[in-house]
Amino acid sequence: QVQLVESGGGLVQAGASLRLSCTDSGRTLSPYTSMAWFRQAPGKEREFVAAINWSGLTFYEDFVKGRFTISRDKSKITVYLQMYGLKPEDAAVYYCGALRLGSGWPPGPSYEVDYWGQGTQVTISS
């Protein structure tokens, strides 16, 4: 059973940085699985943030380009989301997701997510 475990969220001031992690704790995902980060703010729909494929290609939503960086370790077990220059509007629960194999690259506008993490809260104080 696939289990994605996220960590790294917290309360920070506007302008600060955070790094989120998402680990395939059971090491059950195919190394060819593309991984993505999404976020959901209160009262809003879950939205795409960034994705990385098996070869390291990355894709970002426009509102995070230049501020967020997605990466994965060589074992492809852990995916990171490094966030710089956080803004109050970045506050949300951040979820990692394993995209369906063969779902195409770049991902979107619809996203086929086979597995979700539990989410990690990011709170920004202004």
Side-chain angles (χ1 to χ4, degrees), residues 3 8-9 14-15 19 26 35 41-42 51 53 67 70 72 75 96-98 104-105 115 117 125-126:
Q3 188 170 11
R19 188 176 80 159
M35 299 295 293
N53 77 352
R67 296 192 301 124
I70 189 171
R72 66 198 305 176
S75 68
C96 71
W105 189 268
Y115 305 99
S125 64
S126 56

Side-chain angles (χ1 to χ4, degrees), residues 21-115:
S21 300
C22 170
T23 298
D24 173 15
S25 62
R27 302 190 181 195
T28 51
L29 287 174
S30 163
Y32 296 102
T33 300
S34 296
M35 299 295 293
W37 286 96
F38 296 78
R39 70 186 186 186
Q40 187 167 18
K44 295 188 176 181
E45 292 188 353
R46 192 171 299 189
E47 61 183 358
F48 171 80
V49 175
I52 186 166
N53 77 352
W54 66 272
S55 68
L57 288 176
T58 57
F59 184 72
Y60 297 93
E61 190 58 74
D62 285 347
F63 55 72
V64 301
K65 283 182 179 177
R67 296 192 301 124
F68 291 10
T69 302
I70 189 171
S71 62
R72 66 198 305 176
D73 63 4
K74 289 185 177 180
S75 68
K76 296 185 174 62
I77 293 172
T78 300
V79 177
Y80 304 99
L81 185 69
Q82 178 69 56
M83 305 185 291
Y84 299 99
L86 285 163
K87 305 175 181 180
E89 53 264 40
D90 293 320
V93 178
Y94 283 71
Y95 298 90
C96 71
L99 301 181
R100 187 163 300 165
L101 282 172
S103 56
W105 189 268
S110 63
Y111 302 92
E112 298 174 293
V113 180
D114 279 342
Y115 305 99

